[in-house]
Amino acid sequence: MGHFLGLFVLLLTAVACHSASQNVTAVSCTISKYNADHIKNAQNECSDIIIDGIIVPYGVTLDLTSLKSGTKVIFQGTLAWEYSEWGGPLIKIKGTNVEITGADNHVLDGRGALWWDGLGGNGGKVKPKFLRATVTNSVIRNLHIKNAPINAVLLSRCVDSVIEYITIDDKDGDKDKAGHNTDAFNLNSNNNITIQHCTVYNQDDCMAINFGQNTYFLNNYCSGGHGISIGSVGGGSEVKGVLVDGCQIVDSDNGVRIKTKYGQTGSVSDITYQNIVLKNIHNYGIIMQGDYGSKEGVPTGGVPISHLTLKNISGTVDKTGVNIYILVANASDWHWSDINVTGGEKKMECQGIPAGTRVSC
Ligand SMILES: *[C@@H]1O[C@H](CO)[C@@H](O)[C@H](O)[C@H]1NC(C)=O
Ligand SMILES: *[C@@H]1O[C@H](CO)[C@@H](O)[C@H](O)[C@H]1NC(C)=O
Ligand SMILES: *[C@@H]1O[C@H](CO)[C@@H](O)[C@H](O)[C@H]1NC(C)=O
Ligand SMILES: *[C@@H]1O[C@H](CO)[C@@H](O)[C@H](O)[C@H]1NC(C)=O
């Protein structure tokens, strides 16, 4: 450790001379033991930060929120977090023009089984969220997240960024239904982000957007969860501009889902789901629900769903499930074509479909 520190100080001096110029000299620093000061200093002084197999102490966030423009962070080996009941996040990332990646065979191991009690966010142990990122003009790529205690990746106020080749593997949480509310991607107030080529095994939404603009969710594989969701939207929130394209949703409670809150206001507009394959969906192949949170099952029109295109969606629902269910009010301008969702034998009456939409429930 002494040698490491000596080297660290040397590099620090070398870079400080260049700090006034835009082009920071490439300096690579490796963090192989958790030390908050080293992690902080590395963000000031190093253009490449390799975080190698560290164990983060309990109740502590791995804080990467002072990344400088141009920094590359590389996770390597197995990172783990000591157990404690707290809200997290286990990692926090903030930066502009940064690249976050993982080396081959690295794992960010949340060791979720230590928290999983079947209750998720509804009680029991307090569970830390995994990764929270606020980035601009950046790339988060090639991360392998395993066994998130609860929500895995939370993106908020991200702009013009790409999140790709992320694996979120919470399969172990299927055992005894212990993993719960393990949402893969929760999106809030982002603009122009692309999430693509990701693989998710979890027990809640593969993606859920509550607020935001220009979201692209492309070529992702979702297994075991609750489907690709918009919502629940209410409280004045707007979701505008979503393209979900080329995704597969398998062994999940729902496939395509939009839910808006009963008695609230907001809007959901300019939404396209296309080229989606569903397989073994348990409850609803496609569901648009405008009564979320109401016990009476009455939809309200304060969060209208408008300019909604569904195109080329096919696949199967379990016998006991419903192929398509729509219960909305005040919706307009829907364009549905090439929908072939079959297998579900349970029928539910649809309500609020805009006139002229070619859909049969
Ligand atoms: C959206 O973000 C991408 C980078 O991911 C960028 O190339 C593109 O120009 C952005 N689009 C707009 C309209 O700003
Ligand atoms: C429909 O979607 C599937 C799955 O993404 C794709 O393979 C197929 O080419 C699409 N069909 C058309 C006509 O675009
Ligand atoms: C229907 O939506 C519009 C906005 O598009 C809104 O002004 C109106 O209040 C909504 N109607 C109801 C009954 O909620
Ligand atoms: C709809 O899907 C079923 C099975 O998934 C298939 O047998 C049938 O040919 C499809 N229909 C059309 C019109 O593509």
Side-chain angles (χ1 to χ4, degrees), residues 288-319:
M288 308 282 150
Q289 192 188 356
D291 67 333
Y292 197 72
S294 144
K295 290 187 175 55
E296 288 78 36
V298 179
T300 55
V303 191
I305 302 172
S306 60
H307 311 296
L308 170 68
T309 300
L310 266 69
K311 195 161 71 181
N312 186 23
I313 299 181
S314 64
T316 57
V317 171
D318 296 348
K319 224 176 171 157

Side-chain angles (χ1 to χ4, degrees), residues 137-138 160-162 192 194:
N137 205 7
S138 295
D160 299 344
S161 293
V162 176
N192 186 26
T194 299

Side-chain angles (χ1 to χ4, degrees), residues 167-214:
T167 299
I168 296 172
D169 177 2
D170 299 331
K171 264 192 229 100
D172 293 347
D174 291 342
K175 194 169 173 254
D176 305 324
K177 295 193 186 237
H180 196 67
N181 298 140
T182 50
D183 302 40
F185 295 99
N186 286 119
L187 275 53
N188 248 301
S189 306
N190 305 290
N191 189 359
N192 186 26
I193 65 168
T194 299
I195 299 173
Q196 58 188 0
H197 305 297
C198 298
T199 302
V200 169
Y201 298 91
N202 70 341
Q203 296 85 21
D204 206 314
D205 294 317
C206 186
M207 178 194 66
I209 312 180
N210 289 311
F211 197 125
Q213 306 178 48
N214 305 317

Side-chain angles (χ1 to χ4, degrees), residues 15 37 75 121 147 182 237 263 285 321:
V15 176
D37 289 338
F75 295 108
N147 294 344
T182 50
S237 293

